[in-house]
Amino acid sequence: MRRTLYIISGPAGAGKSTTSKRIAGRLAKSAYIEGDLIDHMVFGGYEMPWLSQYHTDLIWQNILSLANNFIHHDHDVVIDYVAFMHNAEYIASGLEQSGVSVKFAILITDEEELLRRDAERQPQFRMGHRCIEGLKEIRRSNPPEHHIINTTRMDVDSVVEEIMGNPVFLIDS
């Protein structure tokens, strides 16, 4: 059976986790990889990934290893983490099993909506204006338009349907 690996990216508040979990829940046999958990596995010597290329590379190497293990055991995989096109291409090119479809979706929202959603989080998880900086960083990376989905006025089920059903999000590996 052909497996699919989904990489769901976007700034904090765009709906990555909600969308990723919903996709994973719709798949018969799936694994959900939360990039933030992989990031926080490093305890001693931890460095902020946006300040350390070494730490960022280590996160993506570990995500790829997990993805390969799950795919090898016939799971579809959903990755929930801030990813750029080069990260998605790294994952797609590093898959050990051929015939895996890789979909990369970057969720964005209007700045006002991003701040509104952030304000609804529990206080310890709020990012404030840092989520706007994340959105700007994603836009500066100039991702291919066909990998972007604006979730500002979409409900999560519509976003999930769009990603799962639309081949435009596929990456050629």
Side-chain angles (χ1 to χ4, degrees):
M1 177 178 207
R2 186 173 182 93
R3 291 288 162 211
T4 303
L5 183 144
Y6 298 86
I7 303 169
I8 309 301
S9 181
K16 286 186 308 298
S17 297
T18 303
T19 300
S20 297
K21 290 173 184 174
R22 193 75 56 95
I23 290 171
R26 289 191 182 189
L27 299 166
K29 194 172 182 185
S30 65
Y32 169 72
I33 299 174
E34 186 175 349
D36 286 339
L37 292 177
I38 305 303
D39 170 24
H40 293 118
M41 291 176 115
V42 173
F43 200 78
Y46 178 82
E47 299 175 49
M48 299 294 187
W50 57 90
L51 299 175
S52 169
Q53 190 61 52
Y54 166 79
H55 193 77
T56 300
D57 291 346
L58 183 59
I59 292 166
W60 284 105
Q61 289 167 13
N62 284 318
I63 288 172
L64 177 59
S65 293
L66 283 170
N68 274 316
N69 287 338
F70 284 117
I71 290 167
H72 178 74
H73 288 91
D74 296 321
H75 287 73
D76 292 303
V77 175
V78 182
I79 298 169
D80 165 9
Y81 197 52
V82 177
F84 297 92
M85 193 68 206
H86 68 276
N87 303 124
E89 290 169 340
Y90 169 77
I91 295 295
S93 68
L95 294 175
E96 296 168 357
Q97 195 168 315
S98 62
V100 177
S101 298
V102 178
K103 287 192 167 188
F104 178 48
I106 304 167
L107 312 183
I108 65 167
T109 66
D110 296 343
E111 290 182 11
E112 183 178 305
E113 178 66 9
L114 205 57
L115 291 173
R116 186 193 69 73
R117 291 178 186 180
D118 184 60
E120 290 179 345
R121 294 174 183 231
Q122 294 179 355
Q124 69 269 28
F125 298 117
R126 290 183 190 150
M127 300 284 290
H129 279 72
R130 287 180 294 172
C131 57
I132 301 299
E133 291 306 313
L135 177 62
K136 288 177 181 177
E137 185 179 1
I138 288 168
R139 287 183 173 150
R140 279 192 305 269
S141 76
N142 200 26
E145 285 294 320
H146 65 277
H147 287 285
I148 297 172
I149 183 167
N150 190 321
T151 67
T152 303
R153 291 173 185 80
M154 295 178 74
D155 63 81
V156 69
D157 288 320
S158 298
V159 174
V160 168
E161 290 297 325
E162 180 70 15
I163 294 168
M164 293 183 80
N166 194 336
V168 74
F169 295 103
L170 287 169
I171 292 179
D172 297 325
S173 54

